[in-house]
Amino acid sequence: MAIQRPRGTQDILPSTVGYWQALEKKMRQLAATYGFQEIRTPIFEDTRLFLRGIGETTDVVQKEMYTFPTGDDKDKTFTLRPENTASAVRAYLENKIYGQETLTKWFYIGSMFRHDKPQAGRYREFHQFGAEVLGSQSAVTDAEMITMIVQFFQSLGLADLNVEVNSVGCPHCRPAYREKLITFFEPKKEELCEDCQNRLYKNPLRILDCKNETCKKLSIGAPEIHENLCEDCHDHFETVKKYLTIAKVPFVINPRLVRGLDYYTKTAFEVQYTPLGAQSAIAGGGRYDGLVEQLGGPHTPAIGFAMGMERVLLALEKQDLLPKPEEEKKAYIVALGEAARQKAFAMVTALRSMNCQVAMDVENKSMKSQLKHANKIHAKYVIIVGDDELQRGEAVLRFMDTSEQETIALADVIDKISSLVKG
Ligand code: AMP
């Protein structure tokens, strides 16, 4: 049997790559508008980065990492990046960016890898657009990040999105809240799902967003995080809400939103598009004030988000909003006979050196099939040169939209086509 692509991966063929390119272009524009610069980190990293960065109790680390031998060092392994925040922070530290600037704003676009159960909207290789701000503790930054995502979706025309925000506290107030949750869930331990039984002492907050129906029921009446925030976290959250209101961002507060990765502090947020069903989260993020220190750096408050590009495209498709790829104007030179073909090749080469999209036939096809090809590639202008025209020093210029034709001097073809194509 022919070899197939690995489960949970996709081929992005030329017929759909235009959507990706259009989306990426918009993402880059958005990032520039908000003052973010692009960063590209390796696709694989030392596994310890994710163990330390994402948290050993998370699903991502426990079940979903692609880990493999380094080939050099028996005591070490590499892992395909399951997300990009830990790598961005590593790059921030390794390149001592903290010593060069007080505020760092980075964005990335790229593949992430998780050994998850593939289904609609969930893949093993998927693409994220994400952004990180390192060096700001202001709650206004949190509101700015959420606003940035919302403006992006608005610019795509996407409707029916829900923005959920929460505060998950900080190392001052979370331990006491954790204890309250453990006390609350301990008597129900046997009824919790297997994952939540494991989470009970390690990360009881995660029980609150377990999708299992029994766990959902068991968590009714659990202590609420908002009643257990310290003054700093409380004030921070109030400011986030105030600035979201100033930015006219519609949001709801979801006290059960804790997110899958361990590093979050204070603000956590998610954007949901419910028609996507079980995989309705299209973007999510939060503050991670402790992560830089946890990875060996100086105390650096930070916040980030990531958006699943496949899910954005699925949402766009559902609302019939897939971005139309921009088509450049193209020309085609129909050459009939060897002498004409040589002349055409010289003209095509000259036009291409001027960045004009121009094609010609090299298979000695008939006029009819060359015109058919010109049509297929959506050429707007066609130059026809046969041996007779060549002798007269002329060529026929045909406008494909209207089928109008005119005779022009062969010597003018390059100027004429380049001004039409670029005009
Ligand atoms: P996370 O890094 O888990 O916070 O995810 C951020 C965003 O990435 C989510 O809101 C999804 O849109 C997207 N995402 C996460 N995991 C997957 C996956 N396995 N397949 C497709 N998209 C994903």
Side-chain angles (χ1 to χ4, degrees):
M1 203 171 71
I3 295 170
Q4 295 182 324
R5 62 173 186 267
R7 230 182 124 214
T9 66
Q10 297 191 94
D11 296 315
I12 301 171
L13 297 174
S15 52
T16 50
V17 80
Y19 301 135
W20 287 84
Q21 287 167 344
L23 199 62
E24 285 164 19
K25 191 172 169 195
K26 270 192 163 287
M27 287 166 168
R28 287 175 201 284
Q29 278 166 349
L30 177 84
T33 306
Y34 276 80
F36 286 80
Q37 291 180 304
E38 184 170 359
I39 172 152
R40 300 184 189 192
T41 59
I43 298 281
F44 59 95
E45 297 269 4
D46 186 325
T47 304
R48 292 172 300 178
L49 175 66
F50 303 118
L51 298 183
R52 255 185 245 163
I54 301 177
E56 306 212 16
T57 64
T58 59
D59 286 352
V60 169
V61 164
Q62 287 199 337
K63 306 181 202 162
E64 299 170 6
M65 296 212 300
Y66 284 97
T67 298
F68 52 95
T70 64
D72 302 313
D73 185 343
K74 281 201 195 66
D75 301 323
K76 243 169 68 176
T77 55
F78 287 142
T79 291
L80 293 181
R81 62 182 186 194
E83 53 101 64
N84 216 158
T85 302
S87 306
V89 171
R90 186 215 28 81
Y92 178 78
L93 294 176
E94 194 164 338
N95 296 286
K96 300 197 172 50
I97 307 295
Y98 53 85
Q100 300 161 34
E101 50 194 40
T102 48
L103 186 70
T104 299
K105 295 173 85 172
W106 282 346
F107 80 95
Y108 58 83
I109 294 175
S111 289
M112 309 297 151
F113 306 85
R114 294 184 195 174
H115 188 266
D116 213 333
K117 212 164 125 206
Q119 51 184 274
R122 197 201 275 168
Y123 309 95
R124 289 182 169 172
E125 181 189 17
F126 59 99
H127 299 79
Q128 284 185 339
F129 161 57
E132 317 287 342
V133 177
L134 295 126
S136 168
Q137 61 179 12
S138 169
V140 182
T141 304
D142 306 20
E144 216 180 345
M145 292 294 256
I146 299 168
T147 306
M148 176 174 169
I149 303 175
V150 170
Q151 276 192 347
F152 180 69
F153 291 140
Q154 283 171 347
S155 77
L156 291 172
L158 274 178
D160 305 328
L161 298 174
N162 296 324
V163 181
E164 298 184 348
V165 293
N166 192 23
S167 174
V168 294
C170 71
H172 297 295
C173 51
R174 201 155 46 193
Y177 178 59
R178 268 176 57 109
E179 288 310 313
K180 283 192 186 173
L181 281 179
I182 294 173
T183 310
F184 176 82
F185 283 113
E186 231 168 8
K188 313 164 192 256
K189 184 176 174 189
E190 300 308 316
E191 295 164 75
L192 291 169
C193 75
E194 203 184 318
D195 279 344
C196 284
Q197 293 194 12
N198 289 329
R199 287 169 183 150
L200 180 56
Y201 298 103
K202 290 183 193 150
N203 194 352
L205 269 79
R206 290 278 280 120
I207 302 175
L208 296 176
D209 81 344
C210 180
K211 304 288 175 272
N212 180 297
E213 287 305 321
T214 314
C215 297
K216 274 190 192 167
K217 278 199 195 105
L218 291 173
S219 67
I220 294 173
E224 285 255 342
I225 181 88
H226 296 151
E227 284 145 25
N228 292 277
L229 293 177
C230 61
E231 203 182 328
D232 183 28
C233 285
H234 171 83
D235 293 351
H236 190 98
F237 194 45
E238 291 304 308
T239 310
V240 174
K241 290 189 282 185
K242 184 161 55 184
Y243 275 81
L244 283 177
T245 309
I246 293 172
K248 299 195 171 62
V249 169
F251 65 92
V252 293
I253 294 161
N254 176 0
R256 288 172 183 269
L257 175 71
V258 298
R259 315 238 333 114
L261 317 179
D262 269 359
Y263 49 60
Y264 290 112
T265 51
K266 294 184 175 162
T267 315
F269 52 89
E270 221 160 65
V271 180
Q272 304 275 348
Y273 177 58
T274 33
L276 291 185
Q279 310 306 320
S280 61
I282 62 175
R287 184 161 272 288
Y288 51 90
D289 288 346
L291 183 61
V292 179
E293 235 171 331
Q294 202 173 306
L295 292 175
H299 173 70
T300 310
I303 178 164
F305 74 79
M307 185 182 289
M309 293 173 66
E310 284 81 0
R311 293 189 193 173
V312 175
L313 287 171
L314 283 171
L316 287 169
E317 195 182 354
K318 273 202 185 296
Q319 297 190 16
D320 207 11
L321 288 170
L322 280 173
K324 301 269 174 305
E326 287 168 29
E327 270 219 9
E328 305 240 347
K329 288 187 199 152
K330 288 185 204 135
Y332 192 96
I333 302 189
V334 171
L336 301 161
E338 176 55 23
R341 185 156 78 150
Q342 289 179 17
K343 182 66 188 165
F345 189 67
M347 291 194 293
V348 163
T349 306
L351 281 163
R352 285 175 178 163
S353 77
M354 298 160 83
N355 293 326
C356 296
Q357 286 197 26
V358 50
M360 67 176 280
D361 162 64
V362 292
E363 313 283 352
N364 263 333
K365 296 234 172 83
S366 67
M367 166 117 156
K368 195 172 158 210
S369 76
Q370 291 193 43
L371 281 173
K372 219 166 135 189
H373 187 203
N375 245 326
K376 195 171 167 221
I377 65 165
H378 302 136
K380 272 182 101 62
Y381 315 104
V382 170
I383 292 287
I384 304 168
V385 204
D387 285 339
D388 291 350
E389 282 87 1
L390 206 58
Q391 273 181 358
R392 289 199 299 270
E394 287 174 350
V396 173
L397 165 61
R398 183 182 178 124
F399 296 86
M400 295 299 270
D401 290 344
T402 57
S403 296
E404 278 170 39
Q405 294 196 163
E406 62 186 62
T407 302
I408 61 170
L410 205 51
D412 292 341
V413 166
I414 291 176
D415 279 353
K416 183 89 186 170
I417 291 295
S418 70
S419 70
L420 281 172
V421 166
K422 289 183 173 170

